Amino acid sequence: MKVLVIGGGAREHALCRSLSLDPDVNALYCAPGNAGIAEVAELRPVDALDGAAVARLATELGVDLVVVGPEAPLVAGVSDAVRAAGIPVFGPSAEAAQLEGSKAFAKDVMAAAGVPTARSYVCTTAEEIDAALDAFGAPYVVKDDGLAAGKGVVVTEDREAARAHALGCDRVVIEEYLDGPEVSLFAITDGVTVLPLQPAQDFKRALDGDQGPNTGGMGAYSPLPWADAKLVDEVMETVLQPTVDELRHRGTPFSGLLYAGLAITSRGVRVIEFNARFGDPETQVVLARLRTPLAGVLLNAARGTLDAEPPLSWRDDAAVTVVIASHNYPDTPRTGDPIEGLAEVAAQDGPDAYVLHAGTRREGDAVVSAGGRVLSVTATGSDLAQAREKAYKAVARIRLDGSQHRTDIAAKAAEGR
């Protein structure tokens, strides 16, 4: 099988790493990719938002499957263009991707499907914003209706900060605060059959102790030793299958990766948000634990034959990923700084610990930072404590001037808290 992955972050590096280990994959391409992905896939230049260009590249390469990684190309209709060229693609249509592209659309789908979620108001005027903030009170949860790369959500006790964020959005969703721990659960679907993956937890805040601003995610771990053993079955029954069924009934079937961000509240499971693609950094830990070869599963989803796929097989190992971010992330990150220590990790920590590249590029013989989140250091171990130890040992070998990372990823879970 020849596979083309679209994107250039740590999620795409994790996908390419898994695909490169699949014995059924004999050619792997990534466009545009990054410095780390170049070690496992052949890179090609492309405008990832240009559906015609992506379809043309896939045709020229003669690939059997295209995997669209990030959300922006999905919302822009890249999957539609590839499907129109007659090539199987893993990723929903632009219409179905509105499940992530519009918080208001997602709320409408959930209401129709009977999916449990937070009560909310969709606001476009200052008067509507004030009324919604007053209705729910603190803590205030304010979400930009459109794509915001994981940074369009503000959760704050400060009404003025919440109001300012809301006024800066064209359309905003204001909703009740959901208490309890958060869980990410991915499912692969062909629009009818839904195949759940293992749950993970990510860390959105920039600083230890869940302090600081929201980010795209500073780390993740899987499995969740504290979660109910029936969690996946419950979410399948109350969230994932009803949502897929509702979208199919609307004539906009969702084929690809459905990501449910969940709150385990005192009143039960509630959906915080949906995404239309693999999450970053959760993908790094989920794929580290997946034993089933990835390419065939994604191809069955793209072809509409997922019902032929047996249940997924998982390793007993735990996985932890720690994100190394550049100076000043998530504000205006500094780029162009050289990254050292990558070879040391590969030589001394592999295969249980490895580095997935996010915002990197090659300049001559050097690898330099090229984004806010620069690297995802991922490790596996017999339990979370061991995986954590291996991940942070590898993190300590990386040298990037001004970089930052959280030191508490999976700490409470590893201690049984």
Side-chain angles (χ1 to χ4, degrees):
M1 194 191 306
K2 292 182 177 181
V3 183
L4 169 63
V5 176
I6 301 301
R11 163 189 43 230
E12 288 76 36
H13 194 173
L15 286 164
C16 285
R17 180 180 182 272
S18 290
L19 290 166
S20 72
L21 297 172
D22 188 329
D24 288 336
V25 176
N26 62 354
L28 179 61
Y29 306 95
C30 187
N34 63 38
I37 295 174
E39 296 176 9
V40 295
E42 199 174 313
L43 302 191
R44 288 287 192 275
V46 79
D47 178 353
L49 298 176
D50 186 338
V54 172
R56 193 159 53 245
L57 176 62
T59 302
E60 289 170 2
L61 295 173
V63 299
D64 305 291
L65 174 68
V66 175
V67 179
V68 183
E71 60 273 25
L74 293 168
V75 172
V78 167
S79 291
D80 302 277
V82 175
R83 280 195 190 91
I87 300 169
V89 58
F90 183 80
S93 66
E95 216 169 348
Q98 283 303 305
L99 203 60
E100 176 170 3
S102 168
K103 304 287 191 300
F105 176 78
K107 288 288 186 182
D108 185 62
V109 170
M110 284 188 271
V115 170
T117 187
R119 294 179 297 122
S120 63
Y121 294 101
V122 179
C123 308
T124 55
T125 68
E127 291 75 20
E128 290 172 346
I129 288 167
D130 288 334
L133 293 173
D134 291 341
F136 290 130
Y140 303 100
V141 182
V142 184
K143 300 180 176 182
D144 191 332
D145 182 50
L147 294 179
K151 290 173 279 188
V153 179
V154 165
V155 181
T156 179
E157 298 277 349
D158 184 337
R159 190 182 189 282
E160 285 310 306
R163 188 174 190 270
H165 181 67
L167 290 170
C169 305
D170 289 334
R171 187 160 79 150
V172 68
V173 174
I174 297 174
E175 62 184 39
E176 67 175 328
Y177 176 77
L178 296 175
D179 62 341
E182 295 184 13
V183 173
S184 300
L185 185 61
F186 302 162
I188 292 170
T189 179
D190 59 4
V192 179
T193 301
V194 180
L195 201 61
L197 279 66
Q198 290 286 297
Q201 186 174 62
D202 79 329
F203 294 75
K204 284 280 191 284
R205 299 284 188 169
L207 307 176
D208 283 8
D210 292 326
Q211 301 298 306
N214 260 352
T215 71
M218 294 298 290
Y221 69 93
S222 178
L224 312 181
W226 50 266
D228 191 306
K230 298 178 182 175
L231 175 64
V232 174
D233 290 340
E234 179 186 348
V235 176
M236 270 289 292
E237 184 181 332
T238 63
V239 175
L240 297 170
Q241 193 70 58
T243 300
V244 169
D245 291 345
E246 172 62 23
L247 286 165
R248 187 176 68 255
H249 294 152
R250 290 178 177 222
T252 56
F254 188 105
S255 171
L257 195 289
L258 178 58
Y259 165 149
L262 309 164
I264 313 301
T265 77
S266 53
R267 293 163 293 139
V269 175
R270 298 287 186 272
V271 174
I272 300 169
E273 64 176 355
F274 283 124
N275 290 336
R277 38 73 196 180
F278 281 101
D280 183 347
E282 300 97 322
T283 302
Q284 289 86 302
V285 291
V286 172
L287 291 186
R289 299 185 57 228
L290 180 64
R291 194 189 300 277
T292 302
L294 185 61
V297 183
L298 302 187
L299 185 61
N300 274 331
R303 286 177 169 169
T305 54
L306 200 57
D307 58 343
E309 189 69 38
L312 298 174
S313 173
W314 297 92
R315 297 184 177 90
D316 293 331
D317 285 356
V320 171
T321 195
V322 179
V323 170
I324 297 177
S326 57
H327 176 73
N328 207 37
Y329 178 78
D331 293 325
T332 306
R334 191 174 77 202
T335 61
D337 290 312
I339 303 165
E340 299 176 337
L342 297 172
E344 292 171 37
V345 174
Q348 299 182 47
D349 299 301
D352 293 342
Y354 48 89
V355 179
L356 298 168
H357 292 230
T360 69
R361 68 173 182 270
R362 186 165 285 283
E363 285 187 357
D365 293 333
V367 175
V368 303
S369 60
R373 291 186 295 174
V374 181
L375 304 168
S376 284
V377 179
T378 304
T380 55
S382 59
D383 56 22
L384 285 173
Q386 189 183 75
R388 219 177 153 267
E389 182 184 351
K390 290 179 180 179
Y392 279 106
K393 188 177 178 183
V395 166
R397 299 190 199 280
I398 303 295
R399 297 177 296 282
L400 172 62
D401 185 49
S403 68
Q404 54 178 314
H405 65 271
R406 283 185 58 160
T407 66
D408 62 347
I409 303 301
K412 288 182 179 179
E415 295 167 3
R417 292 190 283 146

